[in-house]
Amino acid sequence: MKLNQIGEFKLIEKLVSLLPIDDKDVVVGFGDDCACINVNGKLLLFTNDIQVENRHFIKELQKPENIGWKLISVNVSDVLACGGIPRWAQISLGLPKNLEYSFIEEVYIGIKKALDYYGFYITGGNVSSSNEIILDLFLVGETEKFLSRKDAQEGDYIYINGFTGLARAGLELLLMEKKEYEDFEKELIQAFTKPTVDLSLKSLLQKNAKACIDISDGLVADLGHISKQSDKKIVLFKEKLPVNTNLKKYCEKYSKDIYDYILYGGEDYIIAFSCDKELKHKNIYKIGKVEQGKGIYLKEDKKITKLKVKGFEHL
Ligand code: MG
Ligand code: MG
């Protein structure tokens, strides 16, 4: 059987079943944003995420510096999603033999800027030749309390700390390869090419969050993980979903359905979490509620619609 007949999520399930874990120091193994390891009472978070040429980035269309920045951000996002901060990383490179040195040097300048911004170090790595550019990071973080996807309770509210849908619009704009972009289009492209994770959210999450995840595959797809792993239903309030003005302009200009972007656009690298308190913080949006049941629903006035939980599949 070929991998594309199995699909990404089924493949992961099959592979995970081949590697059972029998180690009491592994607090959480497969199935969350990070694994959590208890090292003499300290909780470490392990995560890895890859950037592959023509899958995650297009060399000809993106600044190499931003490709390096994004490699770091996507991993930091998973650590924050488990309530932690990043500490140490290792990097693996797959590089074509005929690649210009200046390209990978620029990527590293972006990596260095991101490491300085988030405050941690890369401590080692390795290189191999390959047909496409592959950048893979293994990141270790630390946390006082592990925030998982499975702890949403009936009655919790769902919060997010930013807009969704921008990165997908940014990618579409990038692929148009226009000679001139309007300013609002440049900002949307930046959301895709240079996502920035807000680590200042960590203390609020540690104090208040129950279930937590980062939005990488799309709001509904990622809330789908919380819903499934917590065995709860999530109801989103349509009028509470934050609408970004640049995204609004984009959807008007190109005749797109903005809620398709807000609900299903991926690569936002913001955090969604559940919490039983009323939170009044800047840039924190209460967008839904956790109830008894299954699946993700959208409530508009009195009408409730069941949403299809679909996200990006790599295979
Ligand atoms: Mg994640
Ligand atoms: Mg990830």
Side-chain angles (χ1 to χ4, degrees):
M1 200 192 294
K2 299 278 198 298
L3 296 186
N4 58 6
Q5 295 169 289
I6 303 175
E8 178 186 346
F9 294 107
K10 194 79 201 158
L11 173 71
I12 293 172
E13 210 176 281
K14 278 175 175 289
L15 296 179
V16 167
S17 73
L18 298 174
L19 303 175
I21 301 167
D22 181 17
D23 181 336
K24 64 173 179 24
D25 293 328
V26 178
V27 184
V28 177
F30 294 100
D32 218 300
D33 290 290
C34 297
C36 181
I37 316 296
N38 183 338
V39 182
N40 299 322
K42 194 172 193 67
L43 298 180
L44 295 185
L45 302 169
F46 289 3
T47 189
N48 51 313
D49 225 320
I50 198 166
Q51 296 284 302
V52 177
E53 183 181 6
N54 299 327
R55 292 287 178 280
H56 301 91
F57 66 88
I58 303 151
K59 180 174 171 270
E60 290 71 28
L61 301 181
Q62 286 169 251
K63 275 198 201 133
E65 208 182 294
N66 288 344
I67 296 168
W69 176 282
K70 187 167 177 177
L71 173 72
I72 303 301
S73 286
V74 300
N75 280 282
V76 168
S77 181
D78 279 323
V79 165
L80 181 63
C82 295
I85 52 160
R87 289 303 309 271
W88 310 277
Q90 298 277 116
I91 189 166
S92 288
L93 307 177
L95 301 173
K97 287 183 179 168
N98 61 356
L99 184 72
E100 284 293 328
Y101 169 72
S102 60
F103 176 86
I104 196 69
E105 188 184 62
E106 288 287 316
V107 170
Y108 264 61
I109 288 169
I111 287 176
K112 174 72 169 74
K113 284 185 182 169
L115 293 174
D116 289 346
Y117 180 80
Y118 295 119
F120 68 102
Y121 295 95
I122 289 182
T123 49
N126 78 99
V127 184
S128 163
S129 65
S130 63
N131 293 332
E132 298 144 320
I133 303 164
I134 299 169
L135 311 165
D136 188 37
L137 197 81
F138 169 67
L139 173 59
V140 179
E142 54 186 359
T143 187
E144 298 92 70
K145 185 175 78 190
F146 182 84
L147 302 177
S148 89
R149 299 170 171 186
K150 60 179 171 48
D151 293 325
Q153 312 278 328
E154 184 184 358
D156 283 359
Y157 300 112
I158 297 287
Y159 293 91
I160 52 175
N161 72 322
F163 298 106
T164 56
L166 281 60
R168 180 170 141 200
L171 172 61
E172 289 175 358
L173 283 162
L174 197 66
L175 294 173
M176 288 178 200
E177 296 188 50
K178 301 205 300 178
K179 281 201 186 71
E180 281 294 329
Y181 285 101
E182 292 188 57
D183 283 345
F184 83 90
E185 294 178 321
K186 286 182 194 155
E187 284 179 45
L188 290 169
I189 290 173
Q190 166 121 341
F192 172 75
T193 56
K194 200 189 172 203
T196 299
V197 177
D198 181 8
L199 280 178
S200 74
L201 188 70
K202 189 220 155 195
S203 58
L204 181 135
L205 293 175
Q206 279 288 335
K207 253 181 253 145
N208 302 291
K210 289 196 182 155
C212 195
I213 194 165
D214 69 321
I215 309 294
S216 55
D217 296 340
L219 181 63
V220 174
D222 287 309
L223 287 177
H225 292 301
I226 289 189
S227 157
K228 200 170 171 196
Q229 288 173 238
S230 299
D231 195 24
K232 296 283 178 294
K233 169 173 156 183
I234 292 174
V235 181
L236 297 173
F237 313 130
K238 194 172 180 184
E239 79 282 4
K240 299 270 188 191
L241 293 168
V243 176
N244 175 274
T245 48
N246 290 334
L247 182 62
K248 203 168 165 215
K249 280 187 204 162
Y250 172 80
C251 291
E252 280 164 9
K253 182 170 172 181
Y254 297 97
S255 310
K256 306 277 190 184
D257 173 9
I258 195 164
Y259 285 96
D260 195 35
Y261 288 76
I262 290 172
L263 295 169
Y264 295 107
E267 300 222 61
D268 301 297
Y269 301 108
I270 59 163
I271 298 289
F273 61 98
S274 86
C275 160
D276 60 1
K277 294 179 207 123
E278 284 285 352
L279 300 177
K280 295 255 182 293
H281 290 260
K282 215 175 139 229
N283 300 329
I284 299 283
Y285 306 96
K286 184 166 90 177
I287 60 163
K289 221 178 159 193
V290 179
E291 294 180 1
Q292 215 52 257
K294 290 184 194 312
I296 311 288
Y297 291 77
L298 185 68
K299 188 168 188 279
E300 189 180 11
D301 302 320
K302 288 209 169 72
K303 199 176 92 204
I304 295 194
T305 333
K306 186 165 191 198
L307 296 175
K308 204 164 174 269
V309 180
K310 54 170 186 181
F312 186 77
E313 273 213 55
H314 275 281
L315 294 165

